[in-house]
Amino acid sequence: MFDEGKFVEEAVKKLKEEVKGKAIIAVSGGVDSSVAAKIGSMALGENLVAVYVDTGLMRKNESREVESLFKEMPLKFVKVDAEERFLQALKGVVDPEEKRKIIGELFIKIFEEVAEKEKAEYLIQGTIAPDWIESGGGLRDTIKSHHNVGGLPSILKLKIVEPLRDLYKDEVRKVAKYLRLKVAERQPFPGPGLAIRIIGEVTKERLEIIREACHIVEEEIEKEVAKGMEKPWQYFAVLLPVRSVGVHGDRRAYGYTIVVRSVASIDAMTASFSHLPYHLLERISIRITNEIKGINRIVYDITNKPPATIEWE
Ligand code: XMP
């Protein structure tokens, strides 16, 4: 039986022993990094610098929410605006593994820049068990390189510390609740962000489309949850580079396709697609096609994991 209190106590003790000096932690506002930051601040206090890199690949309003969450914690908070650097690095890139590697490496580079400035020697990461299990190595095949693992360059200037390494998602949530973090029930969001929800090249225009589509999916599903529907584990949109013919008013349209994805899961290792009611799917479809220019077809992903993964890339 997993004991949250005992886990926190031991993790704090271990961090105090392991980290001698200043550490930085990458925070994204997700449950994993928030829990790691909270535990880090309990162990290191002022010696912990929380770095939030605004990659431009974040969800709507995310940066504002992250800022308000970490400004409440007793640690040093640093925000880096790096949208242009990420867009430049991703220019022309379509391969999912290449995207992940580029994003991961740029992340680390930015961390290293901040760490050098802050004179930190350690990097605390919110890596959890499924991240490294699915990133391959040893006996396992590489399913996809989760960015906080696959993106690490082989020669690191920072010493990596991963206090949540042995936990599964449901256990991290329990710890978050125990620590009274507001993010406890927040759905997971992948490290490479919206970049892996755009199939094909990542551009500013496509980012705006997928950001708005993900927001509509979240908003409509959460409205239904407020009325009593069971909350899916994760729900979002994916932009496909596939175009199809449609009609807009009395004109021919040739627009792009959005996939709606919603799944039930416990630990992200397996998942089953949510049986969302048709009226909800219809509302999402109508809103996306009405509110987002250039989209004229919405499809619903009815694949479980396995054989699919939760994200499309
Ligand atoms: P998949 O798509 O592999 O996703 O079934 C399992 C869970 O992990 C999230 N995910 C990531 N999280 N870095 C992360 O921190 C990543 O690179 C990454 N890729 C996927 C995904 O959203 C799902 O919750």
Side-chain angles (χ1 to χ4, degrees), residues 100 134 144 146-147 188 190-192 233-234 268 305 309-311:
R100 285 174 177 273
E134 291 197 345
K144 50 180 88 169
H146 281 236
H147 102 264
W233 196 74
Q234 195 170 6
K305 173 185 181 175
T309 51
I310 296 175
E311 305 284 349

Side-chain angles (χ1 to χ4, degrees), residues 82-200:
E83 182 183 16
E84 285 311 318
R85 281 175 82 176
F86 277 90
L87 277 176
Q88 195 54 39
L90 287 167
K91 212 170 176 164
V93 178
V94 295
D95 180 75
E97 279 297 291
E98 212 181 316
K99 276 185 194 172
R100 285 174 177 273
K101 286 228 151 31
I102 289 170
I103 295 167
E105 282 172 13
L106 186 49
F107 243 96
I108 296 293
K109 192 159 182 273
I110 293 170
F111 288 149
E112 282 185 335
E113 289 167 9
V114 180
E116 206 171 315
K117 214 167 134 203
E118 297 288 337
K119 300 196 174 24
E121 290 164 56
Y122 296 84
L123 172 64
I124 298 180
Q125 297 212 103
T127 315
I128 64 169
D131 299 344
W132 58 266
I133 291 172
E134 291 197 345
S135 288
L139 298 170
R140 295 184 172 96
D141 194 20
T142 300
I143 311 284
K144 50 180 88 169
S145 307
H146 281 236
H147 102 264
N148 40 8
V149 178
L152 300 180
S154 52
I155 305 162
L156 272 170
K157 291 187 208 134
L158 291 163
K159 291 173 210 140
I160 307 285
V161 189
E162 293 171 326
L164 313 181
R165 212 184 142 72
D166 295 328
L167 300 192
Y168 283 86
K169 202 81 193 184
D170 54 322
E171 294 168 336
V172 183
R173 288 229 173 93
K174 283 183 188 154
V175 175
K177 267 192 208 143
Y178 173 80
L179 293 170
R180 295 175 202 274
L181 290 177
K182 276 186 284 182
V183 294
E185 282 312 315
R186 203 177 160 152
Q187 57 160 326
F189 186 60
L194 297 175
I196 57 162
R197 293 181 179 173
I198 295 170
I199 311 304

Side-chain angles (χ1 to χ4, degrees), residues 20 39 63 68 72 112 120 145 155 165 196 208 211 237 246 277 281 288:
K20 300 280 171 232
I39 290 175
S63 293
S68 77
E72 282 171 21
E112 282 185 335
S145 307
I155 305 162
R165 212 184 142 72
I196 57 162
E208 267 158 35
R211 185 174 292 121
L281 288 169
I288 293 177

Side-chain angles (χ1 to χ4, degrees), residues 256-277:
Y256 286 100
T257 309
I258 289 274
V259 179
V260 177
R261 180 83 163 135
S262 176
V263 296
S265 180
I266 292 173
D267 57 11
M269 299 298 286
T270 60
S272 49
F273 77 87
S274 311
H275 295 203
L276 296 182

